[in-house]
Amino acid sequence: MRRPILAGNWKMNKGVAEAVDFVRTIRRGLNDIKGVDKVLCPPYTALAALRDPLAATDIGLGAQNMYWEEKGAYTGEISAPMLKELCQYVILGHSERRAHFNETDEAVNRKIKAALAHGLFPIVCVGETEAEYDAGQTQAVVGGQVRGCLAGLTAEQVAGLVLAYEPVWAIGTGKAATASGAGAVIGLTIRGTIAGLHSEDTAQAVRVQYGGSVNPANVAEYMTHPDIDGALVGGASLKGDFVELVRIAAEVTSI
Ligand code: 13P
């Protein structure tokens, strides 16, 4: 059984004061929900301020990016050991980083290795653009991203990862993928590629989230698909709605 995992990616939203206020309002409700892993991923600047408010809860904290070097002359970058002092998770390879900051599969691969070396749990994002989807290239693109991002990892390392399938056309658009569509990409392409690289057991062990316009009204649909193990939530994680979303996810997966 794969334990469901719901993560909120706040992207570039909320300053420190707003982040702390918001977490105070959702902390109790979120902590009371059992049976699923819950993670909040604020901007770097809010991580330190949220560490203590979340310390006595079972709510995880994550960053949204990281550099692969440990330290040195890399102005503006944040390393795995720095994050390890503050949080447990790190989102890597988000499509916005790929699109706006030229992040490649090779860079994501180096970041995953650095995160694992320092005991952080990576949430690795893959997903095709709208043009690629329209051209029928989803399988080739997503399969290629999985191979590139996971190159050189052991089966054991892969089995412990969280992947997130986030079709770019579904992010922030309200045009969510259907559960059957997303589930097929996750089951056939993502798990299929991992089975080819390692084994069917490894493919079945890795947790894979869906992300892209997930909200309280559609989360149940994704959570009941056998290949979807959770959600990576953007817009709906910025509001109190997120507690409701996680509660619904926990309810439907406990049935
Ligand atoms: P939205 O939920 O706002 O579509 O964003 C999804 C996402 O990119 C999460 O990483």
Side-chain angles (χ1 to χ4, degrees):
M1 277 302 285
R2 299 182 298 259
R3 184 175 165 88
I5 177 165
L6 287 297
N9 174 10
W10 294 6
K11 309 190 179 183
M12 198 172 72
N13 292 290
K14 299 191 192 293
V16 179
E18 192 186 349
V20 171
D21 279 352
F22 177 62
V23 163
R24 284 209 186 102
T25 66
I26 63 167
R27 177 174 55 176
R28 165 91 58 99
L30 214 46
N31 193 48
D32 285 346
I33 303 166
K34 301 300 170 195
V36 298
D37 288 340
K38 303 152 279 189
V39 186
L40 301 178
C41 300
Y44 285 138
T45 46
L47 284 173
L50 293 183
R51 185 183 59 167
D52 289 348
L54 292 178
T57 72
D58 64 2
I59 304 163
L61 191 58
Q64 302 170 14
N65 179 37
M66 191 199 86
Y67 192 51
W68 60 76
E69 294 291 351
E70 287 188 8
K71 61 179 178 176
Y74 302 101
T75 302
E77 293 298 317
I78 303 284
S79 71
M82 291 172 179
L83 291 183
K84 183 66 183 163
E85 286 186 58
L86 302 174
C87 63
Q88 307 85 42
Y89 295 86
V90 58
I91 298 171
L92 296 174
H94 192 280
S95 62
E96 287 149 18
R97 296 218 52 87
R98 294 172 186 264
H100 303 305
F101 305 99
N102 304 317
E103 207 160 286
T104 61
D105 292 330
E106 193 198 343
V108 178
N109 178 251
R110 295 174 81 157
K111 292 180 179 193
I112 295 170
K113 287 173 177 163
L116 291 174
H118 290 278
L120 288 165
F121 295 112
I123 298 174
V124 182
C125 303
V126 296
E128 81 284 3
T129 63
E130 182 152 39
E132 290 161 346
Y133 176 83
D134 289 343
Q137 295 169 344
T138 299
Q139 205 172 342
V141 169
V142 174
Q145 289 172 333
V146 170
R147 276 190 295 277
C149 291
L150 306 189
L153 299 184
T154 65
E156 198 185 357
Q157 287 176 321
V158 172
L161 291 177
V162 176
L163 266 58
Y165 170 55
E166 297 206 313
V168 178
W169 47 269
I171 295 178
T173 58
K175 245 175 50 181
T178 61
S180 59
V185 175
I186 292 171
L188 301 175
T189 305
I190 297 182
R191 293 196 202 284
T193 302
I194 293 172
L197 290 170
H198 294 285
S199 68
E200 188 57 32
D201 279 357
T202 309
Q204 290 304 323
V206 64
R207 294 188 290 177
V208 189
Q209 301 172 313
Y210 166 72
S213 300
V214 178
N215 60 48
N218 64 16
V219 69
E221 207 188 311
Y222 300 109
M223 299 308 296
T224 46
H225 192 289
D227 270 310
I228 304 179
D229 306 314
L232 185 53
V233 184
S237 73
L238 295 170
K239 302 170 284 183
D241 266 18
F242 188 60
V243 179
E244 186 58 16
L245 187 157
V246 175
R247 187 174 297 126
I248 294 166
E251 261 168 35
V252 299
T253 48
S254 69
I255 296 167

